[in-house]
Short mmCIF file of all heavy atoms in Angstrom, two decimals:
data_model
loop_
_atom_site.label_atom_id
_atom_site.label_comp_id
_atom_site.label_asym_id
_atom_site.label_seq_id
_atom_site.Cartn_x
_atom_site.Cartn_y
_atom_site.Cartn_z
N ARG A 127 -10.52 19.60 18.45
CA ARG A 127 -10.44 20.29 19.75
C ARG A 127 -10.14 19.28 20.83
O ARG A 127 -10.79 18.24 20.95
CB ARG A 127 -11.76 21.00 20.05
CG ARG A 127 -11.84 21.60 21.45
CD ARG A 127 -13.02 22.54 21.57
NE ARG A 127 -12.77 23.75 20.80
CZ ARG A 127 -13.69 24.70 20.61
NH1 ARG A 127 -14.92 24.55 21.10
NH2 ARG A 127 -13.40 25.79 19.90
N GLN A 128 -9.13 19.60 21.63
CA GLN A 128 -8.77 18.78 22.79
C GLN A 128 -9.20 19.53 24.06
O GLN A 128 -9.00 20.74 24.17
CB GLN A 128 -7.25 18.56 22.85
CG GLN A 128 -6.74 17.49 21.94
CD GLN A 128 -6.90 16.11 22.54
OE1 GLN A 128 -7.27 15.95 23.68
NE2 GLN A 128 -6.62 15.10 21.75
N ASN A 129 -9.78 18.78 24.96
CA ASN A 129 -10.07 19.31 26.30
C ASN A 129 -9.21 18.50 27.27
O ASN A 129 -9.46 17.33 27.51
CB ASN A 129 -11.55 19.16 26.63
CG ASN A 129 -12.43 19.95 25.68
OD1 ASN A 129 -12.47 21.17 25.72
ND2 ASN A 129 -13.12 19.25 24.79
N ILE A 130 -8.16 19.14 27.78
CA ILE A 130 -7.20 18.46 28.63
C ILE A 130 -7.21 19.09 30.01
O ILE A 130 -6.89 20.27 30.16
CB ILE A 130 -5.78 18.51 28.03
CG1 ILE A 130 -5.77 17.91 26.63
CG2 ILE A 130 -4.79 17.77 28.93
CD1 ILE A 130 -4.44 17.96 25.94
N ALA A 131 -7.59 18.28 31.00
CA ALA A 131 -7.69 18.78 32.37
C ALA A 131 -8.52 20.06 32.38
O ALA A 131 -8.19 21.04 33.04
CB ALA A 131 -6.31 19.01 32.96
N TYR A 132 -9.59 20.08 31.58
CA TYR A 132 -10.54 21.19 31.50
C TYR A 132 -9.95 22.44 30.85
O TYR A 132 -10.50 23.52 30.98
CB TYR A 132 -11.12 21.49 32.88
CG TYR A 132 -11.75 20.27 33.50
CD1 TYR A 132 -11.09 19.55 34.48
CD2 TYR A 132 -12.98 19.80 33.05
CE1 TYR A 132 -11.65 18.40 35.03
CE2 TYR A 132 -13.55 18.65 33.58
CZ TYR A 132 -12.87 17.96 34.57
OH TYR A 132 -13.42 16.82 35.09
N GLU A 133 -8.87 22.29 30.12
CA GLU A 133 -8.32 23.37 29.31
C GLU A 133 -8.64 23.07 27.85
O GLU A 133 -8.40 21.97 27.37
CB GLU A 133 -6.80 23.48 29.51
CG GLU A 133 -6.17 24.60 28.71
CD GLU A 133 -4.66 24.67 28.91
OE1 GLU A 133 -4.14 23.91 29.75
OE2 GLU A 133 -4.02 25.49 28.22
N GLN A 134 -9.20 24.04 27.14
CA GLN A 134 -9.62 23.84 25.76
C GLN A 134 -8.47 24.20 24.82
O GLN A 134 -7.92 25.30 24.88
CB GLN A 134 -10.84 24.71 25.45
CG GLN A 134 -11.55 24.35 24.16
CD GLN A 134 -12.82 25.16 24.00
OE1 GLN A 134 -12.81 26.23 23.39
NE2 GLN A 134 -13.91 24.68 24.56
N ILE A 135 -8.11 23.25 23.94
CA ILE A 135 -6.98 23.45 23.03
C ILE A 135 -7.43 23.12 21.61
O ILE A 135 -7.87 22.00 21.34
CB ILE A 135 -5.78 22.55 23.41
CG1 ILE A 135 -5.35 22.81 24.85
CG2 ILE A 135 -4.62 22.77 22.45
CD1 ILE A 135 -4.43 21.75 25.39
N ASP A 136 -7.33 24.07 20.71
CA ASP A 136 -7.70 23.85 19.32
C ASP A 136 -6.45 23.51 18.52
O ASP A 136 -5.47 24.28 18.49
CB ASP A 136 -8.37 25.10 18.74
CG ASP A 136 -9.75 25.32 19.33
OD1 ASP A 136 -10.49 24.33 19.48
OD2 ASP A 136 -10.08 26.46 19.67
N LEU A 137 -6.48 22.35 17.87
CA LEU A 137 -5.35 21.87 17.08
C LEU A 137 -5.67 22.01 15.60
O LEU A 137 -6.77 21.68 15.16
CB LEU A 137 -5.05 20.42 17.41
CG LEU A 137 -4.71 20.09 18.87
CD1 LEU A 137 -4.56 18.58 19.05
CD2 LEU A 137 -3.44 20.80 19.30
N LYS A 138 -4.69 22.46 14.85
CA LYS A 138 -4.88 22.62 13.40
C LYS A 138 -4.07 21.57 12.65
O LYS A 138 -3.29 20.82 13.26
CB LYS A 138 -4.45 24.03 12.97
CG LYS A 138 -3.00 24.35 13.25
CD LYS A 138 -2.69 25.80 12.92
CE LYS A 138 -1.21 26.12 13.19
NZ LYS A 138 -0.81 25.88 14.57
N GLU A 139 -4.25 21.53 11.34
CA GLU A 139 -3.58 20.52 10.52
C GLU A 139 -2.06 20.59 10.71
O GLU A 139 -1.45 21.67 10.66
CB GLU A 139 -3.94 20.75 9.05
CG GLU A 139 -3.51 19.63 8.12
CD GLU A 139 -4.17 19.74 6.76
OE1 GLU A 139 -5.37 20.06 6.70
OE2 GLU A 139 -3.47 19.49 5.76
N GLY A 140 -1.45 19.43 10.94
CA GLY A 140 -0.01 19.36 11.15
C GLY A 140 0.41 19.40 12.60
O GLY A 140 1.58 19.18 12.93
N ASP A 141 -0.53 19.68 13.51
CA ASP A 141 -0.20 19.75 14.94
C ASP A 141 -0.15 18.36 15.57
O ASP A 141 -0.91 17.46 15.20
CB ASP A 141 -1.23 20.59 15.70
CG ASP A 141 -1.07 22.08 15.46
OD1 ASP A 141 -0.09 22.47 14.80
OD2 ASP A 141 -1.92 22.86 15.93
N PHE A 142 0.75 18.22 16.55
CA PHE A 142 0.81 17.04 17.40
C PHE A 142 0.49 17.47 18.83
O PHE A 142 0.87 18.55 19.26
CB PHE A 142 2.22 16.43 17.41
CG PHE A 142 2.63 15.77 16.13
CD1 PHE A 142 3.18 16.52 15.09
CD2 PHE A 142 2.50 14.40 15.95
CE1 PHE A 142 3.59 15.91 13.91
CE2 PHE A 142 2.90 13.78 14.78
CZ PHE A 142 3.45 14.54 13.76
N CYS A 143 -0.20 16.60 19.55
CA CYS A 143 -0.45 16.82 20.97
C CYS A 143 -0.09 15.54 21.71
O CYS A 143 -0.73 14.50 21.51
CB CYS A 143 -1.91 17.19 21.23
SG CYS A 143 -2.29 17.47 22.98
N LEU A 144 0.94 15.61 22.53
CA LEU A 144 1.39 14.46 23.31
C LEU A 144 0.78 14.53 24.70
O LEU A 144 1.01 15.48 25.44
CB LEU A 144 2.92 14.45 23.39
CG LEU A 144 3.58 13.31 24.16
CD1 LEU A 144 3.23 11.95 23.56
CD2 LEU A 144 5.10 13.49 24.19
N VAL A 145 -0.04 13.53 25.04
CA VAL A 145 -0.76 13.51 26.32
C VAL A 145 -0.10 12.49 27.24
O VAL A 145 0.13 11.34 26.84
CB VAL A 145 -2.25 13.17 26.12
CG1 VAL A 145 -3.00 13.20 27.45
CG2 VAL A 145 -2.88 14.14 25.13
N SER A 146 0.20 12.89 28.46
CA SER A 146 0.89 12.00 29.39
C SER A 146 -0.10 11.03 30.05
O SER A 146 -1.32 11.28 30.08
CB SER A 146 1.61 12.81 30.47
OG SER A 146 0.69 13.56 31.23
N PRO A 147 0.39 9.90 30.57
CA PRO A 147 -0.49 8.93 31.23
C PRO A 147 -1.25 9.56 32.40
O PRO A 147 -0.77 10.49 33.04
CB PRO A 147 0.49 7.86 31.74
CG PRO A 147 1.66 7.97 30.83
CD PRO A 147 1.78 9.42 30.49
#
Side-chain angles (χ1 to χ4, degrees):
R127 172 167 290 173
Q128 280 278 352
N129 298 288
I130 304 178
Y132 304 102
E133 181 181 355
Q134 193 174 93
I135 303 166
D136 290 318
L137 301 175
K138 61 185 180 301
E139 191 166 318
D141 285 354
F142 290 85
C143 180
L144 180 60
V145 182
S146 62

